[in-house]
Amino acid sequence: MSRDAGGTNIEGEAPVSETVVETEEATVTENAELERTLGLSGGLAIGIGTMIGAGIFVFPGLAAGNAGPAAALSFGIGAIIALLVALPASELATAMPKSGGGYYFISRGLGALAGAIVGLSLWFGLVFATAFYLVGFGYYAVDSLAEIGVSVGADWVIPLAIVFGAAFTVLNLTGTENAAKLQNGVVALLLSILAVFLGFGVLDAVGIVGQPTAPEDFTPFGYGPVFSTAALVFTSYLGFAQVATVAGEMKDPGRNLPLAMVGSVLVVGVLYVMTIFVATSAFGAERLAAEGETAMVAVGRDLLGPAGALAILFGGLLATMSSANASILSTSRAIYAVSKDALLPKWASRINLKYGTPHVALGMAGGPILALTATGRVEILAEVASFLHLIMYSLICVALIALRRDEPEWYDPDFRVPAYPLVAGIGAVASFALIGFMQLISQILGLAIMAGSAVWYFYYARDIELKGAL
């Protein structure tokens, strides 16, 4: 199976095209043979492990302050939109099992301009998301030190975040195997902590244990803030599309890939909604908001005493570490994919001979991440990340519609979206619509990044052709 890609950028570099042959046992390209060894459980682990991170520990206080107890509904809205995008992304992934994920689908379905805007915007979207995770890590690190008697003050939040951001970048430089080992261990510990916390918290919320709490108005600020909060917390759902990047290594992808993507969103969505429900029931939305980024520590202390606070602190550190580490890896791979298509200079995709990692791309990711981390603006970092990903998710749905309309010869997915084109259409509209509920400054920054990406394309790579044979 081959797809057209041609033209050159201003440096005379052309996209690197590969022929892909798919069998039941492997996906074979000119440079590698990927055995199909991942089953449904492996796909679910990737999706859940990528998403279950900083959002569950950093957002509850911020979300409760914006929407009250209805913040649980905000997380639910985010999950529904993610589900509407997961199905189209599953179809495209089984048709195009390539690294690059959403960028690759859009560039081959809608052309080089759309691909450049999405690819470069995805780079910055992941940079903003990683900076958000690192700032959250800084807050939890400072609180953890205070819990063991080392009070360093809030002034240390950003320095600690920057130091660990640099450390994660170096870790990814030394090989993805090291990063993957850290990721798997962190996720396993994190899920264990959450299972204990939520189990006890639900019993407390329904009055079986603990002290009864007075019921609160579910929507004290109306329904508008519910949607604006959904736009803020959508950063929590950015990881489900990572499952698509391993489509070429998945057994029976027509069945397992959509189940893994949809299943991981459902599992994580339920965990997020339950966490907000437990937190607001045990603590109250107003008190939760007053605690800010580390509100969950106070909830853990309220439910389980000092042991609960320590468990949540440890979980928060693991969660923010997990999300930051995974996002740095994803950011470098986004740069690598765009560079392979000659939309960035080819030197950006150079591989380190010692470690086999894209060291230039990691540097292009790590520098901006540390600069944005220094701002410490949690809500803006999260919203800009959501903005740029929502644009990509909407265009994934549009790309599916374009490919279904023209049905090029090479387009032969193992899975097809049910209720087409309704699901893809609603997914595209819902993703765009959620952007309208963001802060104006986040919208301006997001649009500026997209405009800059378009200017770069017309300056550097306007002759590049990436669209499939439509």
Side-chain angles (χ1 to χ4, degrees):
M1 176 172 56
S2 64
R3 303 172 188 88
D4 293 341
T8 59
N9 59 31
I10 63 173
E11 296 183 4
E13 299 168 339
V16 177
S17 299
E18 286 187 323
T19 298
V20 182
V21 178
E22 297 177 52
T23 69
E24 292 184 2
E25 290 78 27
T27 297
V28 183
T29 69
E30 296 172 5
N31 298 316
E33 179 175 336
L34 302 175
E35 294 185 9
R36 295 193 181 276
T37 57
L38 286 175
L40 177 58
S41 60
L44 285 169
I46 291 171
I48 294 170
T50 306
M51 283 187 286
I52 194 70
I56 207 166
F57 289 93
V58 178
F59 276 137
L62 301 175
N66 290 339
L73 180 58
S74 300
F75 276 98
I77 291 170
I80 291 170
I81 294 175
L83 286 172
L84 289 169
V85 178
L87 289 169
S90 297
E91 176 173 330
L92 293 170
T94 60
M96 295 175 273
K98 297 280 290 183
S99 61
Y103 157 72
Y104 193 88
F105 307 152
I106 292 165
S107 63
R108 269 55 182 183
L110 300 177
L113 174 59
I117 291 173
V118 167
L120 297 175
S121 296
L122 178 60
W123 166 16
F124 286 102
L126 287 166
V127 164
F128 273 86
T130 308
F132 159 69
Y133 300 142
L134 287 171
V135 175
F137 173 85
Y139 277 106
Y140 270 89
V142 167
D143 275 24
S144 297
L145 291 172
E147 194 71 21
I148 61 174
V150 181
S151 182
V152 295
D155 290 342
W156 279 85
V157 168
I158 301 305
L160 286 171
I162 291 173
V163 167
F164 276 85
F168 290 141
T169 302
V170 172
L171 175 69
N172 279 277
L173 176 63
T174 61
T176 55
E177 183 181 357
N178 294 329
K181 286 179 179 178
L182 171 66
Q183 192 75 1
N184 292 339
V186 163
V187 169
L189 284 169
L190 181 58
L191 289 175
S192 300
I193 291 170
L194 286 175
V196 174
F197 170 76
L198 290 176
F200 191 89
V202 169
L203 294 177
D204 178 84
V206 298
I208 295 176
V209 299
Q211 298 296 319
T213 54
E216 291 186 273
D217 181 5
F218 186 67
T219 55
F221 312 119
Y223 283 96
V226 173
F227 290 97
S228 61
T229 303
L232 169 67
V233 304
F234 193 79
T235 314
S236 305
Y237 294 103
L238 300 188
F240 71 88
Q242 294 302 317
V243 182
T245 63
V246 296
E249 302 164 70
M250 189 166 284
K251 301 174 185 176
D252 192 9
R255 170 186 177 273
N256 289 334
L257 184 64
L259 286 176
M261 293 183 76
V262 171
S264 60
V265 172
L266 286 173
V267 170
V268 171
V270 169
L271 284 173
Y272 281 144
V273 171
M274 285 180 62
T275 298
I276 295 294
F277 171 73
V278 166
T280 53
S281 297
F283 217 57
E286 188 174 342
R287 288 180 63 197
L288 202 63
E291 295 290 341
E293 287 82 359
T294 55
M296 291 300 292
V297 179
V299 176
R301 182 178 285 109
D302 190 71
L303 289 174
L304 297 168
L310 283 172
I312 295 299
L313 280 168
F314 186 52
L317 286 171
L318 291 175
T320 48
M321 286 172 58
S322 168
S323 294
N325 183 58
S327 294
I328 289 171
L329 179 63
S330 297
T331 307
S332 67
R333 297 317 185 257
I335 297 170
Y336 179 81
V338 174
S339 175
K340 295 285 282 186
D341 279 338
L343 298 177
L344 284 174
K346 283 293 178 64
W347 49 258
S349 60
R350 288 176 184 166
I351 301 296
N352 184 282
L353 296 179
K354 180 176 181 180
Y355 297 113
T357 53
H359 61 289
V360 176
L362 279 165
M364 293 172 68
I369 285 169
L370 297 182
L372 285 172
T373 300
T375 69
R377 300 292 296 275
V378 174
E379 292 196 27
I380 292 176
L381 292 172
E383 278 198 347
V384 174
S386 292
F387 180 105
L388 296 170
H389 279 80
L390 283 164
I391 292 292
M392 180 181 73
Y393 291 159
S394 183
L395 291 178
I396 283 175
C397 297
V398 174
L400 173 69
I401 294 171
L403 288 165
R404 281 283 200 103
R405 179 195 63 203
D406 294 289
E407 285 283 350
E409 183 179 347
W410 56 262
Y411 189 74
D412 185 26
D414 293 327
F415 166 79
R416 287 185 177 264
V417 175
Y420 171 86
L422 186 63
V423 169
I426 294 175
V429 172
S431 297
F432 271 130
L434 198 58
I435 290 171
F437 293 95
M438 293 181 176
Q439 299 177 68
L440 180 60
I441 187 172
S442 300
Q443 296 170 335
I444 291 172
L445 285 171
L447 289 171
I449 290 170
M450 291 178 63
S453 300
V455 169
W456 172 262
Y457 168 77
F458 284 113
Y459 160 72
Y460 186 79
R462 61 181 176 274
D463 294 328
I464 294 292
E465 295 288 341
L466 296 176
K467 197 171 184 180
L470 300 182

